[in-house]
Amino acid sequence: MTAPTASGRLLSVLAAFDHEHPALSLTDISRRAGLSLTTTHRLVGALTDWGALERDDSGVYHVGLRLWELAALAPRGLALRQIALPYLEDLYEATHENVQLAVRDGRDVVYTEWLSGRSAVGVHIRVGARWPLHATGVGLVLLAHGGAELQDEYCAGDLASFTPYTITDPVRLRRVLAEVRRSDVAVSDRQVTEDALSVAAPVRGADGTVTAAVSVVVPYADAQVPVLVPAVRLAARGISRALGWQP
């Protein structure tokens, strides 16, 4: 097995942190990164000096603000969020439900913004969270507009199940994706939790390519899809125009 490079070891230290592990001791980092304590101590010291990590009074490490500053430069991250936020807020005011903005990263959807609504649906979403593309409304939109090669590769892989309603049949998934492309909207029905339904629409960049997706998540029992669809489409088109898209 090839020994990890110096850059690989640094990245493994950063990768030790996630939503379930936002604060770690040096020993925790060593264990999760698969590195010796001596190596971890040296790398953590360098990352802390640079500002990628911060150490609190109890000796526990957290992700540092320097990484947040870099993330602000990502065109699909905070930069997109700043452009989209007024339209997301309008969608929230129109529905008072959970509103989300997301982009694709490989086989996952990554949420870059989330406005929490009044509904007590089991939304397992927060900024930076990941979910498989096939299980969410925003993911279905991004997969449907991701091209034939992506869809072939995705459908050939494992389709994880989260509820009895999660799409796990690749033939059915292809039919759903075709309908999303036709209607320019996706409805994800109880795929992640059995009490929630989401309606999503594509966000296009200046060249017309779908770069993100916006959605609203509501309780399944009270979902009024015909009312939600135009509201979500309006928000998505507003963001798209702000990004330079011309219908």
Side-chain angles (χ1 to χ4, degrees), residues 91-236:
L91 179 57
Y92 174 81
E93 289 300 325
T95 63
H96 291 286
E97 300 290 357
N98 298 281
V99 173
Q100 304 165 343
L101 179 71
V103 297
R104 182 178 72 86
D105 185 25
R107 292 176 59 88
D108 296 333
V109 59
V110 178
Y111 292 87
T112 58
E113 184 54 275
W114 173 42
L115 304 181
S116 180
R118 63 189 175 190
S119 299
V121 293
V123 180
H124 299 292
I125 300 302
R126 50 189 161 188
V127 174
R130 290 174 174 264
W131 279 91
L133 291 170
H134 70 281
T136 66
V138 285
L140 289 172
V141 166
L142 295 167
L143 183 57
H145 292 281
E149 184 177 349
L150 170 65
Q151 291 157 24
D152 290 343
E153 179 185 347
Y154 194 94
C155 290
D158 178 52
L159 301 179
S161 177
F162 303 99
T163 75
Y165 304 97
T166 307
I167 301 173
T168 57
D169 176 12
V171 175
R172 182 187 170 207
L173 178 58
R174 286 185 180 277
R175 288 199 300 265
V176 170
L177 296 177
E179 176 60 22
V180 171
R181 289 191 297 273
R182 185 197 68 78
S183 65
D184 229 18
V185 68
V187 178
S188 180
D189 180 1
R190 297 170 289 173
Q191 288 212 85
V192 175
T193 63
E194 294 189 46
D195 63 344
L197 177 147
S198 71
V199 177
V203 172
R204 291 177 166 83
D207 62 355
T209 301
V210 173
T211 58
V214 61
S215 73
V216 61
V217 181
V218 301
Y220 167 76
D222 302 323
Q224 299 181 27
V225 174
V227 176
L228 295 172
V229 166
V232 175
R233 279 179 173 158
L234 183 64

Side-chain angles (χ1 to χ4, degrees), residues 14-100:
L14 293 176
F17 295 85
D18 58 26
H19 281 289
E20 284 68 45
H21 305 87
L24 297 170
S25 68
L26 194 65
T27 302
D28 292 334
I29 299 172
S30 172
R31 176 179 52 80
R32 288 179 55 79
L35 300 171
S36 70
L37 198 56
T38 301
T39 299
T40 302
H41 184 270
R42 176 172 54 82
L43 295 176
V44 166
L47 289 168
T48 302
D49 289 343
W50 186 74
L53 296 178
E54 295 176 358
R55 184 175 183 270
D56 64 22
D57 293 338
S58 66
V60 171
Y61 291 89
H62 309 258
V63 172
L65 285 176
R66 189 72 178 270
L67 291 183
W68 179 261
E69 293 171 3
L70 287 178
L73 303 176
R76 295 196 304 157
L78 293 178
L80 171 63
R81 173 189 175 278
Q82 289 177 338
I83 293 173
L85 194 55
Y87 303 94
L88 300 178
E89 291 174 339
D90 286 345
L91 179 57
Y92 174 81
E93 289 300 325
T95 63
H96 291 286
E97 300 290 357
N98 298 281
V99 173
Q100 304 165 343

